[in-house]
Amino acid sequence: MVDAQPPAEEITAEVARLKEMSHQAFFEAWTTYVQGGADRRTAPREVQAAAFSSQDLASRTLVTADRASREFKTVVERQDGESKREYQARISTFRQQLQDERQPIVAAVEDLAADETEYLAQLDDQAFAEEWSAFVEASAGSARSGRDYVQGLAFRSPEVAPRTQALAVRMMRTPEEFLPEAKGESPKAYRARVTQLRSRLEAELRFLQYTLNYSVARWGRMPSAPNFRLQAMRLLTERYPEEFSQLRSAVRNDAKKARDEVRQQRRAERRGPARPTN
């Protein structure tokens, strides 16, 4: 028998309540829910479950669950007079509770990502570029990883990853095409934003390469490792063509001098020691 779903208006109200919370308050609401606690302000547990895994909150909930797994000692504090064994038992209980409650959130994020993948796949090039630019810029401006798990999973999905990678490479080469200067922005501030954007793109390109390698491996072919040195050299060539040309000429001249010195030394060896003169 299928369990009855809680009323939609109750879920909407709980989502609105949780969205207004600060990061710390949201963290405390999640860890309280995980441990089965409640207070007079919270909605019924089934309503809370639906709200935490909703489209508006699933990514935030997953980030919070990951934080809770790292900071479990701030959630489960040792009590006065509690033995080490008792404390470890409570920590183990919390970790198991967290794992159990995290799984439905991961499933919800993956379901939402599947819908987002289908949406991205049908976009034209301009709309796709706008979605990707907004995602990367938001990620580059955030200190928190996993800010939007849903879009991240969609852009890195096997169905979309080749298109995302091509656009990311183009964005690395010509960031000004996607990241125009803001009105009144200083050149230094703009360069800082470009550097931040490139750093995020480099990380995304590594994720995308793994996705593409997986697709190749599924067909029984060994994926080739990305040549980051070659990619960096190409970017330097495009950004600083004159400097690159000068460096290349200098390296060629040095190599020519080295070859000439070797030839001269070999000629001298073939001639042998100079004959003494009478």
Side-chain angles (χ1 to χ4, degrees):
M1 182 177 177
V2 179
D3 294 335
Q5 293 296 314
E9 60 271 15
E10 292 186 20
I11 297 173
T12 301
E14 181 65 3
V15 168
R17 186 182 77 89
L18 293 170
K19 283 178 69 175
E20 293 299 319
M21 287 184 174
S22 65
H23 296 312
Q24 183 60 29
F26 189 91
F27 177 78
E28 292 171 1
W30 166 251
T31 52
T32 299
Y33 166 80
V34 166
Q35 296 175 92
D39 60 41
R40 61 184 177 81
R41 296 170 297 173
T42 58
R45 187 168 181 81
E46 62 273 14
V47 174
Q48 278 192 295
F52 278 123
S53 61
S54 67
Q55 182 175 359
D56 291 331
L57 292 177
S59 284
R60 186 181 185 185
T61 305
L62 193 51
V63 171
T64 304
D66 292 342
R67 176 190 166 189
S69 68
R70 297 190 303 270
E71 302 178 12
F72 59 89
K73 287 188 177 181
T74 65
V75 180
V76 184
E77 296 181 350
R78 191 167 182 176
Q79 300 173 352
D80 293 338
E82 186 176 30
S83 68
K84 186 175 181 180
R85 178 176 295 181
E86 291 170 337
Y87 181 52
Q88 288 299 325
R90 287 202 301 120
I91 288 177
S92 297
T93 299
F94 173 72
R95 283 177 163 170
Q96 186 60 54
Q97 290 172 326
L98 184 62
Q99 182 179 345
D100 292 342
E101 298 299 341
R102 187 180 184 276
Q103 289 175 353
I105 305 301
V106 171
V109 167
E110 289 179 340
D111 287 343
L112 292 168
D115 292 339
E116 183 70 9
T117 299
E118 185 177 350
Y119 167 74
L120 293 174
Q122 57 84 36
L123 293 178
D124 60 30
D125 290 342
Q126 181 178 350
F128 187 86
E130 290 174 356
E131 290 282 347
W132 170 248
S133 298
F135 170 75
V136 175
E137 288 178 44
S139 299
S142 173
R144 292 173 290 122
S145 62
R147 185 174 183 273
D148 191 337
Y149 277 114
V150 172
Q151 266 207 316
L153 286 170
F155 277 119
R156 302 179 204 116
S157 65
E159 297 85 357
V160 177
R163 191 179 185 187
T164 307
Q165 185 192 49
L167 182 58
V169 170
R170 179 182 158 199
M171 205 170 183
M172 282 282 286
R173 291 175 177 172
T174 56
E176 64 281 355
E177 180 182 345
F178 302 89
L179 189 68
E181 292 186 39
K183 186 177 181 180
E185 185 177 30
S186 67
K188 183 178 180 180
Y190 178 66
R191 287 195 298 271
R193 284 204 300 132
V194 169
T195 299
Q196 192 178 51
L197 182 69
R198 285 182 183 276
S199 177
R200 187 61 210 169
L201 283 168
E202 288 174 359
E204 286 296 335
L205 281 168
R206 288 194 291 271
F207 296 145
L208 290 164
Q209 189 62 52
Y210 280 116
T211 300
L212 296 172
N213 285 352
Y214 170 75
S215 298
V216 171
R218 286 185 65 199
W219 288 94
R221 297 192 295 271
M222 186 62 67
S224 58
N227 192 333
F228 296 118
R229 180 177 294 180
L230 180 60
Q231 293 175 13
M233 187 181 70
R234 288 173 177 168
L235 288 172
L236 287 172
T237 304
E238 293 172 359
R239 292 187 65 185
Y240 308 104
E242 294 183 5
E243 291 85 346
F244 182 81
S245 179
Q246 293 171 0
L247 285 172
R248 183 173 57 185
S249 297
V251 170
R252 283 177 176 173
N253 291 335
D254 289 343
K256 184 176 182 301
K257 289 179 182 178
R259 288 195 300 270
D260 291 343
E261 290 176 0
V262 171
R263 291 194 188 101
Q264 292 174 3
Q265 184 177 355
R266 288 175 178 174
R267 289 195 193 103
E269 290 173 351
R270 286 198 297 269
R271 289 173 184 165
R275 295 178 180 179
T277 56
N278 294 328

